[in-house]
Amino acid sequence: MSGLKIIGSMRFMPFFLTQALGAFNDNVFKNALMLALAFTAANALPWSIDITMNLAAGLFILPFLLFSATAGALADASCKTALIRGLKLIEIGLMLAAALAFYFQQYLVLLAILFLMGTQSAFFGPVKYAILPQLLTPKELLAGNAWVEMGTFVAILLGTVLGGLIVGFNQAELWIGTVVVLFSVIGYLVSRYIPKVGKVESAQKFSFAPWQQTKKAISISYTNRDLYLSIMAISWFWFLGASYLTQFPNYTKTVLGGDNTVVTALLVAFSLGVGIGSMLCERLSGDKVELGIVPIGSVGLTIFGIALYLTSPSFAPTAEINLSQFLATAYGWWLLMALSLIGVFGGLFIVPLYALLQQRAQSHQRARVIAANNIFNALFMVASALAGILFLSVLGLSISQYFLVLALMNIAVALYVYSQMPEFVLRFVIYLLSHTMYRVQKKGLEHIPEQGAAVLVANHISYVDALVIAGAVRRPIRFVMEKAIYDLPLVNKLFKAAKTIPICSKQKNEQVHEAAFAKIKQALADGHLVCIFPEGRLTKDGTIDSFRPGIERILTESPVPVVPMALKGLWGSFFSHQGNGAFKFKGRFWSVVELEAAPTVAAASVTAAGLEQKVKQLFAD
């Protein structure tokens, strides 16, 4: 289902609107309050404005540290639809109280309500992402995340802008109260249309124990290294985002010499960039969670972070300038473009990571994994504020230089994450191969089971057959590979990341031979797809060689469905093996490759010769 069909479906649209309206209303309230505290309440509170602003920021983020784990445990133990509706009712109550407090200018009460709104948001965060796999199919999951990220950032942008505008209205307190109450009510009414998803069968009973639940949520994230590293990568993005957004006002004033219209333009450029990147991610990924896009996002964040530094002026104008004057400068449009592209590549970076968390977390722990992510996000955002103090106040860097430091730090973080989780690099290589050198046409892949074990059997034409198949099939695949190739120095780590199973003949090494069959048996028992090339070697002349009997042993030990597949169009390409053992350099880029799958065959009726004939028939068609 395409992204447009998903957003139009009643399974998804009510949830999308509910979460977007919540993000919008949060930011109307928060920005209106921050501006009121800065300009109206300066003399109404018993401390300085600097303390007030930092206190307000801390009060909103503190609940994410205190209650995210409890929120995750509650979401895992509850009907997520009912929980969302309950949280929207709480939002109505808080916004009614906020409307009264604004009207009577009770700023201490508003600070308390800000903390409670942060708490409501902390409880909404885990259920917001944990419900998606129950509303959407696996094919729709990445598109759903793209819409959520786009909707969230656009809602934040619109809410921030509207909150700033209505503060300047006559009778602003009345306007603010009316808007936040109205949108909280609309949000609840829309949430009534979210489909009821029910509890997860293996969910544990909920109890209120924040400290123990925080330790448990973090420990759950630690047990799966892939999830933990994904959480660290997501949190790093929030570190970057918070660093940029926090510095925009002062950057505009001291470096660009701009007024509040320029600040708004920077915010719009960044937020719209993230929204565009999120939707672009869905277009680039197709119908699967494509981790190969994540490194592309990393590269873009660094390149355009450096571009932001290079396009920043050395000296600010002598007089304050507005947006039209800013755009008339030599650097105005270039700077907005750099910020927009930071947002675009940020969207490419973060959407697959969120989808990965939802996809790989166990269903009864999914909300707690999201909660752990929210805890680390909050910690990294606090760390971004401390880093800003360190680099700008202690070390004396300019804000432009600080942006350069962030871009260079992104390189270090990316190298660490990808060295610890080479799957990202592997998927990146597969993605580049299948979108540059080859144009893969797929036919019959719906015959591959959506879940459960199966053996994929394919002909062997080139050195990149496994990469082409891995890039075309939605599900992860365990490939069986000749040990001599598996042990190659530069690519061995990537093969290990893909959990490739090395094999050799029994005559060469009986221990490796038997270990391979044991691993194949275990992989199928665990419900994985396993792909083998029964010819046992690359074709020498472009035709299909005889299939070896190892497939029969595999299916005798593990009677699972078999999917015959044929690769066509790779013979004569750069990576194919010619009769004289040389590479051929013809058709190197964008050549058409076909991958066709036949209907599944029951294990009981399989013979090596029979499978060979089925693959040959596919190959000849």
Side-chain angles (χ1 to χ4, degrees):
M1 181 181 284
S2 72
L4 290 177
K5 289 182 179 178
I6 290 173
I7 194 63
S9 74
M10 288 305 293
R11 287 182 296 118
F12 181 71
M13 183 188 284
F15 165 75
F16 171 79
L17 291 176
T18 298
Q19 65 86 27
L21 285 166
F24 172 83
N25 214 30
D26 278 354
N27 284 275
V28 171
F29 170 71
K30 187 169 64 172
N31 200 36
L33 176 58
M34 296 295 275
L35 290 171
L37 291 172
F39 295 101
T40 308
N43 298 320
L45 293 171
W47 46 67
S48 72
I49 188 62
D50 289 334
I51 292 176
T52 300
M53 300 303 287
N54 285 292
L55 177 63
L59 284 173
F60 189 79
I61 201 169
L62 181 61
F64 288 89
L65 296 174
L66 296 179
F67 302 123
S68 284
T70 301
L74 178 60
D76 276 335
S78 307
C79 167
K80 296 177 180 61
T81 307
L83 180 57
I84 288 173
R85 292 171 184 168
L87 289 169
K88 298 306 287 184
L89 282 173
I90 291 172
E91 182 184 340
I92 293 175
L94 290 173
M95 291 300 94
L96 284 169
L100 290 172
F102 267 117
Y103 187 77
F104 292 106
Q105 297 186 0
Q106 297 297 309
Y107 296 108
L108 287 176
V109 175
L110 284 168
L111 286 172
I113 293 172
L114 182 64
F115 174 80
L116 294 175
M117 276 302 296
T119 303
Q120 190 264 358
S121 297
F123 273 84
F124 190 80
V127 71
K128 163 183 168 179
Y129 287 104
I131 196 175
L132 277 177
Q134 292 180 265
L135 292 176
L136 302 174
T137 66
K139 285 185 178 181
E140 298 167 342
L141 190 58
L142 189 126
N145 275 277
W147 276 107
V148 167
E149 290 306 308
M150 185 276 294
T152 298
F153 273 88
V154 172
I156 289 171
L157 170 64
L158 295 177
T160 301
V161 171
L162 181 61
L165 288 175
I166 57 179
V167 166
F169 289 1
N170 291 327
Q171 296 184 311
E173 293 82 2
L174 187 60
W175 275 103
I176 295 167
T178 301
V179 168
V180 295
V181 171
L182 175 63
F183 279 97
S184 64
V185 171
I186 294 173
Y188 170 73
L189 293 176
V190 173
S191 75
R192 300 292 304 174
Y193 292 92
I194 299 175
K196 191 171 183 178
V197 296
K199 296 181 182 180
V200 176
E201 290 182 4
S202 54
Q204 299 177 356
K205 188 176 179 180
F206 173 73
S207 62
F208 185 79
W211 175 243
Q212 289 83 356
Q213 287 159 342
T214 298
K215 291 195 296 183
K216 179 66 175 175
I218 292 174
S219 69
I220 289 172
S221 71
Y222 282 150
T223 56
N224 186 320
R225 187 156 181 80
D226 290 354
L227 293 181
Y228 172 71
L229 288 170
S230 298
I231 287 171
M232 291 298 102
I234 292 170
S235 299
W236 169 249
F237 173 77
W238 284 106
F239 179 101
L240 279 180
S243 298
Y244 284 124
L245 294 174
T246 301
Q247 301 307 323
F248 280 170
N250 203 28
Y251 174 70
T252 301
K253 180 181 178 181
T254 61
V255 178
L256 304 180
D259 63 7
N260 64 310
T261 61
V262 180
V263 178
T264 302
L266 300 186
L267 178 63
V268 168
F270 181 79
S271 300
L272 288 182
V274 174
I276 292 168
S278 298
M279 299 313 300
L280 183 60
C281 183
E282 188 263 334
R283 295 281 297 176
L284 293 174
S285 299
D287 59 357
K288 65 178 179 178
V289 178
E290 180 51 79
L291 299 182
I293 292 176
V294 176
I296 297 175
S298 292
V299 172
L301 284 170
T302 290
I303 289 174
F304 293 104
I306 295 172
L308 180 61
Y309 163 74
L310 294 175
T311 54
S312 297
S314 301
F315 301 99
T318 54
E320 186 177 80
I321 60 175
N322 59 28
L323 179 58
S324 61
Q325 293 169 320
F326 167 73
L327 294 177
T329 64
Y331 52 82
W333 283 107
W334 290 106
L335 196 144
L336 286 180
M337 187 182 299
L339 264 180
S340 297
L341 289 169
I342 289 172
V344 168
F345 283 96
L348 293 179
F349 179 78
I350 199 171
V351 168
L353 292 171
Y354 271 117
L356 179 70
L357 289 187
Q358 295 156 4
Q359 187 183 67
R360 297 195 182 178
Q362 296 181 34
S363 59
H364 65 284
Q365 296 179 335
R366 188 175 289 128
R368 280 173 287 176
V369 170
I370 301 298
N373 175 66
N374 290 347
I375 292 168
F376 281 110
N377 289 175
L379 287 172
F380 273 60
M381 290 169 73
V382 171
S384 74
L386 297 177
I389 293 171
L390 172 64
F391 285 104
L392 298 173
S393 300
V394 178
L395 299 180
L397 296 185
S398 69
I399 298 178
S400 301
Q401 290 170 333
Y402 181 46
F403 288 162
L404 176 62
V405 169
L406 291 174
L408 298 178
M409 287 173 66
N410 186 64
I411 297 175
V413 171
L415 290 175
Y416 171 75
V417 171
Y418 302 147
S419 68
Q420 297 299 307
M421 193 175 173
E423 183 181 359
F424 286 111
V425 180
L426 176 68
R427 294 302 311 180
F428 175 64
V429 172
I430 292 171
Y431 187 83
L432 287 184
L433 181 76
S434 59
H435 289 77
T436 55
M437 295 195 73
Y438 302 117
R439 180 159 46 95
V440 182
Q441 296 180 349
K442 297 169 279 190
K443 183 179 178 182
L445 298 192
E446 67 275 6
H447 298 306
I448 299 172
E450 287 286 335
Q451 55 186 2
V455 175
L456 310 182
V457 174
N459 57 318
H460 207 2
I461 302 177
S462 76
Y463 290 100
V464 294
D465 291 347
L467 299 182
V468 171
I469 294 172
V473 177
R474 287 192 62 257
R475 293 179 57 189
I477 303 172
R478 300 283 301 274
F479 287 93
V480 181
M481 177 181 291
E482 170 62 40
K483 190 175 187 302
I485 298 176
Y486 177 86
D487 288 335
L488 291 174
L490 294 178
V491 291
N492 176 254
K493 197 168 185 179
L494 293 180
F495 293 146
K496 285 183 178 179
K499 298 180 180 178
T500 304
I501 300 170
I503 194 170
C504 67
S505 68
K506 196 170 185 178
Q507 292 73 21
K508 282 186 178 179
N509 191 321
E510 184 175 357
Q511 185 177 359
V512 171
H513 181 80
E514 292 301 319
F517 279 97
K519 289 177 181 177
I520 293 169
K521 183 177 180 180
Q522 185 60 52
L524 294 172
D526 292 339
H528 294 297
L529 294 179
V530 173
C531 181
I532 66 169
F533 301 98
E535 294 165 273
R537 61 182 181 182
L538 294 181
T539 177
K540 296 288 186 180
D541 55 9
T543 62
I544 296 176
D545 204 349
S546 299
F547 280 18
R548 298 182 182 182
I551 179 62
E552 296 175 2
R553 174 180 171 179
I554 291 171
L555 296 172
T556 299
E557 295 178 351
S558 305
V560 299
V562 182
V563 183
M565 304 176 73
L567 278 164
K568 294 175 271 187
L570 281 167
W571 178 248
S573 68
F574 179 78
F575 294 103
S576 64
H577 191 74
Q578 305 299 297
N580 60 3
F583 287 115
K584 190 172 182 179
F585 286 84
K586 294 182 180 179
R588 291 171 61 184
F589 295 104
W590 207 237
S591 53
V592 176
V593 173
E594 296 179 53
L595 176 62
E596 183 174 357
T600 56
V601 180
S605 61
V606 166
T607 63
L611 280 177
E612 179 187 327
Q613 290 306 311
K614 285 183 178 295
V615 174
K616 283 183 175 179
Q617 184 177 354
L618 286 173
F619 188 71
D621 288 345

